[in-house]
Tab-separated table of all heavy atoms in Angstrom:
chain	number	residue	atom	x	y	z
I	1437	THR	N	69.641	-2.763	-89.367
I	1437	THR	CA	68.186	-2.869	-89.375
I	1437	THR	C	67.610	-2.584	-88.001
I	1437	THR	O	66.554	-1.975	-87.860
I	1437	THR	CB	67.756	-4.274	-89.834
I	1437	THR	OG1	68.298	-4.511	-91.127
I	1437	THR	CG2	66.242	-4.395	-89.893
I	1438	GLU	N	68.306	-3.032	-86.951
I	1438	GLU	CA	67.781	-2.896	-85.599
I	1438	GLU	C	68.169	-1.546	-85.013
I	1438	GLU	O	69.294	-1.336	-84.574
I	1438	GLU	CB	68.305	-4.034	-84.727
I	1438	GLU	CG	67.865	-5.415	-85.211
I	1438	GLU	CD	68.371	-6.531	-84.333
I	1438	GLU	OE1	68.697	-6.265	-83.166
I	1438	GLU	OE2	68.427	-7.665	-84.811
I	1485	GLY	N	61.645	0.209	-80.563
I	1485	GLY	CA	62.821	-0.625	-80.734
I	1485	GLY	C	62.466	-1.979	-81.311
I	1485	GLY	O	61.372	-2.503	-81.073
I	1486	GLN	N	63.385	-2.538	-82.079
I	1486	GLN	CA	63.228	-3.879	-82.614
I	1486	GLN	C	64.071	-4.842	-81.786
I	1486	GLN	O	65.289	-4.674	-81.661
I	1486	GLN	CB	63.650	-3.923	-84.088
I	1486	GLN	CG	62.673	-3.190	-85.007
I	1486	GLN	CD	63.193	-3.125	-86.425
I	1486	GLN	OE1	63.901	-2.196	-86.779
I	1486	GLN	NE2	62.838	-4.105	-87.234
I	1487	ILE	N	63.435	-5.855	-81.240
I	1487	ILE	CA	64.120	-6.783	-80.359
I	1487	ILE	C	64.981	-7.763	-81.153
I	1487	ILE	O	66.025	-8.207	-80.696
I	1487	ILE	CB	63.103	-7.564	-79.487
I	1487	ILE	CG1	62.177	-6.562	-78.776
I	1487	ILE	CG2	63.813	-8.442	-78.485
I	1487	ILE	CD1	62.907	-5.547	-77.925
I	1488	GLY	N	64.588	-8.066	-82.378
I	1488	GLY	CA	65.350	-8.993	-83.213
I	1488	GLY	C	65.109	-8.718	-84.675
I	1488	GLY	O	64.246	-7.923	-85.058
I	1489	MET	N	65.867	-9.379	-85.529
I	1489	MET	CA	65.751	-9.197	-86.967
I	1489	MET	C	64.344	-9.567	-87.426
I	1489	MET	O	63.827	-10.647	-87.138
I	1489	MET	CB	66.779	-10.068	-87.683
I	1489	MET	CG	68.221	-9.663	-87.452
I	1489	MET	SD	68.635	-8.111	-88.266
I	1489	MET	CE	68.620	-8.629	-89.976
I	1490	GLY	N	63.714	-8.651	-88.148
I	1490	GLY	CA	62.402	-8.912	-88.712
I	1490	GLY	C	61.251	-8.735	-87.751
I	1490	GLY	O	60.084	-8.880	-88.136
I	1491	SER	N	61.523	-8.424	-86.487
I	1491	SER	CA	60.447	-8.261	-85.508
I	1491	SER	C	59.778	-6.899	-85.673
I	1491	SER	O	60.339	-5.965	-86.231
I	1491	SER	CB	60.996	-8.401	-84.091
I	1491	SER	OG	61.916	-7.359	-83.808
I	1492	GLN	N	58.550	-6.806	-85.180
I	1492	GLN	CA	57.829	-5.547	-85.231
I	1492	GLN	C	58.344	-4.602	-84.145
I	1492	GLN	O	58.623	-5.035	-83.021
I	1492	GLN	CB	56.330	-5.795	-85.036
I	1492	GLN	CG	55.658	-6.492	-86.206
I	1492	GLN	CD	55.730	-5.672	-87.465
I	1492	GLN	OE1	55.439	-4.469	-87.458
I	1492	GLN	NE2	56.156	-6.294	-88.561
Side-chain angles (χ1 to χ4, degrees):
T1437 302
E1438 298 181 22
Q1486 290 174 271
I1487 307 303
M1489 293 290 289
S1491 64
Q1492 290 298 312

